[in-house]
Amino acid sequence: MTAFPEGTPGTGIVGVGSHLPSQVVSNSVVAARAGVTPEWIVRKTTIRERRYAGQYEATSDLAVKAAEAALADAGITADQLGWVLVATSTPDQPQPATACLVQHQIGAHRAAAFDINAVCAGFVFALAAGARLMSGTGGYGLVIGADVYSRIIDPSDRKTAILFGDGAGAVVLGPVPRDRGFVGGGMSSRGDLSGLIRVEAGGSRVPASKESVIDGSHHFRMDGRGVREFVTDQLPVAVANVLDANGLIGDDVDHFVPHQANGALLADVWPLLGLGRARQVLTVERHGNTSAASIPIALDHARRDGTFADGDLLLLAGFGGGMSVATALIRWHGGPTAGAGGAPRAD
């Protein structure tokens, strides 16, 4: 497992924002297409509704709105950013990077911009990259998680259609006191298991074609049982490793912010993590699985609900296609209104 870079204390989250599309999609709508009942969806996932992007909304559109909210919350302007990272596995298009589209739209003309694709673990991978970029340089950077999975889901596939929604979340990284900010983290990938989560067509191996559309190979596919086994086995190991590497124990953690994959899965794995004192931050019931956006959306909602206090220790954990797992320990700076702007949250 690769650790966060040394020298990142004094770098932390100084602004948070999120955006969810206005279209609310209930379980009754999803259930009818997938051949299940709304009650079955709740029992299997705890999800009751999710949001879908509008016909003309793309990933960058959601990302821009989350970014603007985070910048307002941090009390800085886009031209103060040194870089913009977008974690996504549903880019607007194969080229250019969605981050470059966001950079232009928000006016971050001095910033370098690039995408990171680690699927549902992408936001925490992007945080690690951001921590490296910030190390010893100061200034500000923007990390966004954004996905529009409604575009690649097969509505008749009950393994996936019931889970996913669309959204974006963003954080501004900047200077904080030395006893606040990033404490540590880790990343790992199991490429030998990459077949568990996949979109087979649309790349260089299986280019998009009329045939790929007809046979549905451009749809998102997932081996649900295999993913559950992977998360149950690997997430407790990742949590134990990051705590041990930083001289901490489970009772030191105040808040656990996981990827909002599936509420039933998270409930099953929770007793295995050894975080009995921590408060688990969950938004999956209202938003579904928003892939790389799920952790920053959860951060924004919890922070604005007054969940985090100055000095609280947060453990973020992303997991998803690859198969990848990423963790980040963050000592929270400021209270529920730490950002200078206090931009309203988009529900």
Side-chain angles (χ1 to χ4, degrees), residues 36-112:
V36 297
T37 66
E39 295 75 21
W40 186 86
I41 295 176
V42 174
R43 186 171 71 254
K44 291 290 186 178
T45 69
T46 75
I47 298 168
R48 296 184 180 275
E49 62 183 32
R50 73 285 293 148
R51 305 291 184 96
Y52 282 178
Q55 181 180 358
Y56 301 107
E57 285 184 306
T59 295
S60 67
D61 298 315
L62 307 187
V64 164
K65 291 179 180 178
E68 290 173 341
L71 289 168
D73 189 50
I76 68 166
T77 59
D79 61 5
Q80 293 177 261
L81 295 172
W83 43 266
V84 175
L85 305 185
V86 174
T88 186
S89 51
T90 58
D92 283 26
Q93 55 205 63
Q95 296 182 30
T98 298
C100 293
L101 304 177
V102 174
Q103 178 229 30
H104 171 65
Q105 289 297 320
I106 65 175
H109 305 301
R110 301 179 182 180

Side-chain angles (χ1 to χ4, degrees), residues 145-171:
D147 273 304
V148 178
Y149 263 64
S150 63
R151 298 288 197 271
I152 61 172
I153 290 299
D154 177 354
S156 67
D157 180 9
R158 70 179 191 175
K159 293 180 181 179
T160 59
I162 65 173
L163 290 170
F164 287 90
D166 305 334
V171 299

